[in-house]
């Protein structure tokens, strides 16, 4: 892999904002999030007489709050699915595949590449989430509901925090989990971890309250819920783990010379081929 410009530009060009086609794909995905949210809102409106109205009235009300409340949950689930599908590209798998060794030999610093990877995925996540959020607002305007913008900041930040958490957790997991299949399972379960913490720590009581959400500072009131403190701790720990672990494993490379397309092994040594999906041994020679 030879890149004519910086590694950060490579990350953006490969999967994120810098490439025009990639930007269109991300924007299309963001619009898709908004459309799914709108569709779910209309489905909920058909169930006004059901028990759902008493259970989760926050998604049943004729207001911007309901459509955006649905959107932040749709964004969480579908972004997690996006991470699962494009796991090999988005996270640190390429370090374990020894893809950074030549880059390091060409003068790219592993520390800079690590920060570039972190920045690229966060920028992409923020871009998709923000476009989808305002597209949902735009679509809701056609319903002619009362435009109350005071709870927009709180809803926007609460959904963004969720995506940052699963992004950082996924990056950290990609450095430790050996098989792609297991990594994808863990990303999926990280969504349930976020939801579980929000329920257990009383954060949903704030999110579902239209009056409380009109003041963004209520999200940071740890007397109401310590969720954001716990979330910030998780993000910081995973961030530090990612930096330290990625820096260490990016130094790994093969010490054996290649002969006839394969490694020339010393006597008594053998190479085991591992299936990247299952982690099972495929062959030994």
């Amino acid at each position: 892999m030879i890149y004519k410009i910086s590694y950060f530009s490579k990350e953006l060009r490969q999967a994120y904002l810098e490439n025009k086609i990639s930007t269109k794909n991300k924007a299309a995905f963001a619009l898709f999030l908004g459309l799914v949210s709108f569709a779910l809102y209309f489905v909920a409106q058909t169930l006004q007489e059901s028990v759902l109205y008493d259970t989760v009235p926050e998604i049943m009300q004729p207001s911007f709050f309901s459509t955006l409340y649905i959107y932040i949950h749709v964004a969480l689930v579908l972004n997690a699915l996006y991470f699962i599908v494009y796991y090999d590209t988005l996270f640190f798998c390429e370090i374990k595949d020894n893809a950074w060794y030549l880059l390091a030999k060409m003068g790219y610093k592993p520390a800079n590449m690590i920060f570039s990877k972190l920045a690229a995925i966060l920028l992409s996540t923020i871009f998709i989430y923000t476009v989808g959020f305002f597209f949902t607002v735009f679509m809701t305007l056609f319903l002619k509901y009362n435009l109350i913008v005071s709870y927009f900041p709180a809803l926007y930040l609460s959904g963004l925090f969720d995506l940052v958490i699963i992004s950082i957790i996924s990056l950290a997991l990609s450095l430790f989990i050996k098989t792609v299949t297991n990594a994808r399972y863990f990303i999926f379960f990280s969504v349930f971890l976020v939801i579980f913490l929000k329920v257990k720590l009383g954060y949903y009581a704030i999110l579902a309250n239209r009056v409380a959400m009109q003041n963004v500072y209520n999200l940071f009131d740890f007397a109401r819920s310590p969720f954001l403190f716990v979330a910030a701790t998780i993000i910081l720990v995973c961030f530090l783990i990612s930096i330290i672990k990625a820096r260490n494993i990016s130094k790994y490379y093969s010490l054996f010379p290649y002969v006839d397309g394969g490694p020339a092994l010393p006597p008594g040594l053998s190479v085991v081929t591992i299936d990247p999906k299952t982690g099972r041994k495929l062959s030994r020679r």
Side-chain angles (χ1 to χ4, degrees), residues 110-128:
N112 291 342
M113 291 191 287
I114 292 167
F115 280 108
S116 295
K117 177 71 81 173
L118 288 166
I121 192 170
L122 290 177
L123 282 174
S124 174
T125 300
I126 293 171
F127 172 77
I128 293 172

Side-chain angles (χ1 to χ4, degrees), residues 179-193:
T179 66
V180 174
T181 301
N182 288 341
R184 286 170 172 161
Y185 283 134
F186 275 102
I187 293 174
F188 184 72
F189 287 127
S190 69
V191 176
F192 289 95
L193 173 64

Side-chain angles (χ1 to χ4, degrees), residues 134-166:
F134 286 104
F135 178 68
T136 304
V137 172
F138 173 74
M139 293 292 289
T140 310
L141 288 172
F142 290 99
L143 300 179
K144 298 182 180 181
Y145 294 154
N146 291 332
L147 181 60
I148 303 175
V149 299
S150 55
Y151 45 65
F152 285 11
L155 286 170
Y156 177 83
L157 288 177
S158 63
L160 186 60
F161 290 150
D162 293 344
L163 297 184
V164 171
I165 293 171
I166 65 170

Side-chain angles (χ1 to χ4, degrees), residues 97-274:
D97 293 337
N98 209 14
W100 282 15
Y101 176 61
L102 290 179
L103 292 176
K105 284 294 187 180
M106 292 165 56
Y108 292 92
K109 296 181 179 179
N112 291 342
M113 291 191 287
I114 292 167
F115 280 108
S116 295
K117 177 71 81 173
L118 288 166
I121 192 170
L122 290 177
L123 282 174
S124 174
T125 300
I126 293 171
F127 172 77
I128 293 172
Y129 175 77
T130 302
V131 172
F133 185 91
F134 286 104
F135 178 68
T136 304
V137 172
F138 173 74
M139 293 292 289
T140 310
L141 288 172
F142 290 99
L143 300 179
K144 298 182 180 181
Y145 294 154
N146 291 332
L147 181 60
I148 303 175
V149 299
S150 55
Y151 45 65
F152 285 11
L155 286 170
Y156 177 83
L157 288 177
S158 63
L160 186 60
F161 290 150
D162 293 344
L163 297 184
V164 171
I165 293 171
I166 65 170
S167 299
I168 297 299
I169 290 177
S170 300
L171 281 167
L173 288 174
S174 68
L175 294 167
F176 294 92
I177 300 176
K178 296 182 179 180
T179 66
V180 174
T181 301
N182 288 341
R184 286 170 172 161
Y185 283 134
F186 275 102
I187 293 174
F188 184 72
F189 287 127
S190 69
V191 176
F192 289 95
L193 173 64
V194 171
I195 295 175
F196 173 78
L197 289 175
K198 290 166 77 171
V199 172
K200 198 70 174 178
L201 298 176
Y203 195 66
Y204 266 119
I206 302 174
L207 292 182
N209 190 326
R210 290 179 60 182
V211 176
M213 290 295 282
Q214 292 185 37
N215 184 353
V216 69
Y217 294 105
N218 286 328
L219 296 178
F220 303 92
D221 186 353
F222 297 151
R224 286 174 172 260
S225 172
F227 171 75
L228 287 186
F229 176 78
V230 174
T233 303
I234 293 174
I235 291 172
L236 179 61
V237 170
C238 290
F239 179 81
L240 293 176
I241 289 174
S242 298
I243 296 298
I244 296 171
K245 182 69 174 178
R247 185 165 186 144
N248 287 335
I249 67 174
S250 64
K251 300 174 184 177
Y252 295 168
Y253 60 93
S254 174
L255 295 174
F256 304 124
Y258 274 71
V259 177
D260 296 328
L265 301 178
L269 293 183
S270 61
V271 175
V272 176
T273 303
I274 303 296

